[in-house]
């Protein structure tokens, strides 16, 4: 880590500042530049190449970079990394600890690296539900094709002494979504941010009915290409929020 040292795979050791610790020790822009330097220089084929020791592509570290990108608001880049990770999976949905850059087989470490798939599951959970301060975000990492016109059921997800489950069905002109929150009072969270597909065109509050909370704000609701983001204050004592539109 000397001042004159050129960028190499050792820079990956800076990730925990953002993921998973989320420490506020350095200016956000410095952290962002570091993550982007790793992504732009050490991802030659869409995965992190650790040439210092492991001599291969690390799935678990690649997904950790995706987590950092997600926290920086770079949802597209986070999904792009995950897509490449899933493309490299074995028939049994497993990974070696490091992938040989040419053969694609294992080059070191565990033959079936449980840590790698644990990171994948944690990232998928983040895409569906995650907490930032007093806000719990729903579907921030999801796309319309994954949410529209299908029966949805996610969870339960443990969350700071509570559990969260999501169920419902989202159509273009009508639908409903229920977020069950047993133990919500234990979390200290106050708001739900629902990131919904833009095709819903939630452009009139009169079309919305919310039980268990109070609608504070709707953004991106003019039929453009942005997601429709609903900010809901969960009612005191409520352990379920239900959204209906028609």
């Amino acid at each position: 880590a000397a001042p004159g040292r050129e960028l190499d795979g050792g820079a990956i050791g800076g990730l925990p500042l953002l993921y998973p610790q989320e420490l506020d020790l350095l200016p956000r822009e410095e952290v962002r530049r570091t993550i982007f330097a790793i992504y732009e220089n050490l991802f030659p084929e869409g995965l992190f190449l650790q040439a210092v020791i492991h001599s291969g592509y690390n799935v678990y570290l690649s997904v950790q970079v995706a987590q950092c990108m997600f926290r920086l608001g770079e949802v597209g880049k986070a999904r792009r990394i995950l897509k490449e990770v899933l493309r490299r999976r074995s028939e049994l949905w497993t990974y070696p600890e490091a992938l040989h850059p040419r053969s694609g087989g294992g080059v070191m470490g565990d033959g079936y690296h449980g840590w790698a798939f644990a990171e994948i599951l944690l990232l998928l959970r983040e895409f569906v539900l995650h907490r930032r301060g007093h806000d719990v975000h729903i579907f921030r990492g999801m796309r319309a094709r994954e949410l529209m016109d299908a029966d949805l059921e996610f969870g339960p997800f443990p969350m700071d002494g509570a559990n969260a489950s999501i169920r419902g069905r989202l159509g273009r002109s009508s639908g409903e979504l229920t977020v069950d929150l047993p133990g919500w009072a234990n979390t200290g969270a106050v708001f739900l941010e629902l990131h919904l597909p833009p095709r819903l065109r939630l452009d009139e509050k009169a079309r919305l009915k919310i039980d268990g909370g109070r609608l504070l704000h709707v953004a991106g609701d003019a039929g453009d290409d942005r997601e429709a983001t609903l900010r809901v204050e969960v009612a005191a004592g409520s352990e379920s929020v239900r959204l209906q539109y028609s």
Side-chain angles (χ1 to χ4, degrees), residues 51-106:
V52 175
I53 301 174
H54 290 188
S55 302
Y57 294 118
N58 290 136
V59 168
Y60 69 112
L61 293 175
S62 298
V63 179
Q64 289 184 2
V65 173
Q67 286 272 17
C68 290
M69 286 295 185
F70 191 64
R71 283 160 170 73
L72 292 172
E74 299 288 344
V75 178
K77 287 183 173 60
R79 288 179 60 96
R80 199 170 301 128
I81 294 171
L82 179 62
K83 182 177 180 179
E84 182 61 25
V85 163
L86 294 179
R87 190 181 73 81
R88 302 289 189 112
R89 71 186 186 274
S90 73
E91 293 182 359
L92 297 177
W93 285 74
T94 60
Y95 299 88
E97 188 167 342
L99 295 164
H100 192 284
R102 293 190 177 180
S103 72

Side-chain angles (χ1 to χ4, degrees), residues 1-144:
R5 177 175 171 175
E6 295 183 358
L7 180 69
D8 60 37
I12 202 73
L15 293 187
L17 182 70
L18 186 55
Y19 170 80
Q21 297 297 327
E22 298 191 31
L23 301 177
D24 189 20
L25 300 178
L26 296 173
R28 192 71 164 185
E29 185 56 32
E30 290 185 12
V31 176
R32 183 182 184 88
R33 289 201 302 267
T34 300
I35 301 302
F36 268 79
I38 293 171
Y39 181 70
E40 292 170 355
N41 294 280
L42 302 174
F43 273 65
E45 293 187 12
L47 295 178
F48 172 69
L49 177 63
Q50 178 55 287
V52 175
I53 301 174
H54 290 188
S55 302
Y57 294 118
N58 290 136
V59 168
Y60 69 112
L61 293 175
S62 298
V63 179
Q64 289 184 2
V65 173
Q67 286 272 17
C68 290
M69 286 295 185
F70 191 64
R71 283 160 170 73
L72 292 172
E74 299 288 344
V75 178
K77 287 183 173 60
R79 288 179 60 96
R80 199 170 301 128
I81 294 171
L82 179 62
K83 182 177 180 179
E84 182 61 25
V85 163
L86 294 179
R87 190 181 73 81
R88 302 289 189 112
R89 71 186 186 274
S90 73
E91 293 182 359
L92 297 177
W93 285 74
T94 60
Y95 299 88
E97 188 167 342
L99 295 164
H100 192 284
R102 293 190 177 180
S103 72
V107 69
M108 62 79 62
D110 296 341
Y112 299 94
H113 198 218
W115 184 352
F117 216 88
E119 292 287 357
I120 293 172
L121 293 176
L122 288 171
L123 181 61
L124 290 173
R125 173 198 160 116
E126 287 283 303
F127 284 175
V128 175
L129 177 146
H130 63 272
R131 178 176 175 179
R132 298 288 185 270
H134 292 300
D135 298 348
V136 174
H137 294 261
I138 306 292
F139 297 155
R140 182 165 168 254
M142 305 296 283
R143 293 291 185 257

